[in-house]
Amino acid sequence: MPIDSSAPTRRAWLRGASATGLAAALPRWASANPPSPSAPWPQRPIQLIVPWPPGGGTDLTVRVLAEEAAARLGQPVVVINRPGAAGTLVAPLLKAAAPDGHTIGQLPVTVLRFALMNPVPWDPLTDLAPILQVSSTTFGLLVAADSPWRHVADLLAWARAHPGQLTLGSTGVGSTPHLAMETLLKAQGIAYTHVPYKGTADQMLALVSGTIMAGMNSTGFAPWVEQGKLRLLAVFAEHRMPRWPQVPTMRELGFEPAVYHSPWGLAAPAGTPHAILNALHDAFKHAMFTPRHLAELARYDQDPAYLGPAAYQAALRDAQAHERRLLQGMKLLAAPATAP
């Protein structure tokens, strides 16, 4: 069985995700001086919380999206990085923010998953107001360019011969890359050591430097592969990717489940006025399809996957149901709350 490194980390998440601690961590602008109902909006820069470190693929594409939207909003859209906990800190931070349209956030699917895995003082479906879905990422299995492993079979054969010695990184406990590799290696009867990172950049640096032996990440790895620093062994997509036609899919190699995606979008605190949500939607929808943003998405092999507020809300509910089934099968659902 794979080594379970998740339990202490989950407890740390809960400590870090307490309502009091996160409210204190939120910058003063989030709740200070709310505008009067008749005041024009936006009155000041809009803060966009990105729950990943600077420099990763999602961070960089969101920054371009923010700059393109700012031109229509008439105020800067300032990216605020709040990494950690597999991208889930955005949910309690948005819940703690004033619902006045001056604080929004990038919403990864891990927010839904974490709320199913742990008792948390926030609900991703009721405490957040969807603005729009933007895109979706797929994932790949990578090793350093100088690794002796040239195929997935090489990595698995070594791991079987050296139980527990494989060190494999992801973007956090409970992240899609973590669950994908946990499922794959468990099915193969392979024990390994999971090493969680806050985001793509620090994980890729660890992989290049030899701190870890392999990594599972979104297509934010693209520049590292193109620069010859990393080798892509396989992708968790339906079809081979145009940029790397020589790289097989995990499905081609006979592994199931072998397709993993991670859709993401933008959300605001629940209670944000509809007129403001509509204005945010219109500005960011326009920004999504600007040539500059489309080029940035393409840089990381992402396509626009637009959904409006109602369709995005429905997609989040469907995703939550899918995650519940997945986690139930892996025995990772949080225990039901007991009556006091």
Side-chain angles (χ1 to χ4, degrees), residues 65 105 107 109 112 129-136 262-268 277-278 280-286 288-289 293 297 303-320:
L65 183 69
L107 188 64
V109 73
L112 302 173
I131 298 170
L132 80 172
Q133 181 174 286
V134 177
S135 187
S136 180
S262 186
W264 63 271
L266 301 179
L277 288 174
N278 288 338
L280 286 165
H281 165 268
D282 293 348
F284 279 97
K285 181 181 179 183
H286 172 81
M288 268 186 64
F289 293 99
H293 181 251
L297 285 179
D303 295 315
Y306 167 76
L307 291 176
Y312 188 25
Q313 178 76 57
L316 290 173
R317 292 188 182 281
D318 289 344
Q320 186 186 63

Side-chain angles (χ1 to χ4, degrees), residues 1-339:
M1 294 289 291
I3 292 175
D4 183 7
S5 60
S6 58
T9 309
R10 291 179 197 155
R11 289 195 292 271
W13 276 11
L14 290 175
R15 290 196 297 270
S18 67
T20 302
L22 284 167
L26 194 67
R28 291 194 186 97
W29 47 257
S31 56
N33 303 315
S36 66
S38 60
W41 175 91
Q43 293 183 319
R44 57 182 183 271
I46 295 167
Q47 311 290 334
L48 199 170
I49 300 168
V50 173
W52 310 105
T58 300
D59 173 72
L60 294 175
T61 56
V62 170
R63 287 177 184 274
V64 172
L65 183 69
E67 291 173 6
E68 294 294 314
R72 290 179 68 92
L73 292 168
Q75 286 280 0
V77 179
V78 182
V79 170
I80 305 295
N81 295 96
R82 292 290 184 267
T88 63
L89 297 183
V90 64
L93 285 171
L94 285 179
K95 181 179 179 179
D100 60 10
H102 290 99
T103 306
I104 61 177
Q106 188 262 341
L107 188 64
V109 73
T110 47
V111 167
L112 302 173
R113 185 178 303 138
F114 181 62
L116 293 169
M117 293 172 64
N118 303 276
V120 293
W122 44 267
D123 186 319
L125 296 183
T126 60
D127 291 329
L128 307 179
I131 298 170
L132 80 172
Q133 181 174 286
V134 177
S135 187
S136 180
T137 59
T138 190
F139 301 92
L141 177 61
L142 303 113
V143 295
D146 60 358
S147 170
W149 303 329
R150 306 196 69 85
H151 306 283
V152 175
D154 301 335
L155 183 155
L156 297 179
W158 188 93
R160 288 191 191 94
H162 303 81
Q165 295 185 41
L166 173 66
T167 54
L168 194 147
S170 80
T171 46
V173 173
S175 65
T176 301
H178 175 214
L179 292 190
M181 290 310 303
E182 184 80 7
T183 303
L184 171 65
L185 295 176
K186 184 176 181 180
Q188 299 294 313
I190 292 175
Y192 76 107
T193 299
H194 174 235
V195 185
Y197 291 89
K198 289 184 177 181
T200 296
D202 53 348
Q203 186 200 356
M204 296 297 97
L205 287 170
L207 191 52
V208 169
S209 67
T211 303
I212 54 176
M213 298 176 180
M216 172 77 172
N217 207 299
S218 69
T219 48
F221 58 67
W224 302 81
V225 175
E226 289 188 333
Q227 294 167 18
K229 297 179 179 179
L230 297 178
R231 179 183 303 137
L232 182 59
L233 299 185
V235 293
F236 287 75
E238 290 94 342
H239 308 287
R240 294 195 180 201
M241 303 182 76
R243 189 181 303 199
W244 300 290
Q246 76 283 6
V247 177
T249 67
M250 294 298 286
R251 176 171 286 171
E252 283 181 66
L253 299 176
F255 299 106
E256 289 291 345
V259 177
Y260 288 88
H261 292 292
S262 186
W264 63 271
L266 301 179
T272 301
H274 288 294
I276 292 178
L277 288 174
N278 288 338
L280 286 165
H281 165 268
D282 293 348
F284 279 97
K285 181 181 179 183
H286 172 81
M288 268 186 64
F289 293 99
T290 58
R292 182 170 172 237
H293 181 251
L294 292 175
E296 189 69 11
L297 285 179
R299 184 181 173 203
Y300 298 101
D301 291 273
Q302 297 182 39
D303 295 315
Y306 167 76
L307 291 176
Y312 188 25
Q313 178 76 57
L316 290 173
R317 292 188 182 281
D318 289 344
Q320 186 186 63
H322 174 267
E323 291 291 329
R324 185 183 297 277
R325 292 191 296 270
L326 173 67
L327 294 171
Q328 187 172 25
M330 298 178 70
K331 296 181 170 46
L332 291 177
L333 280 177
T338 57

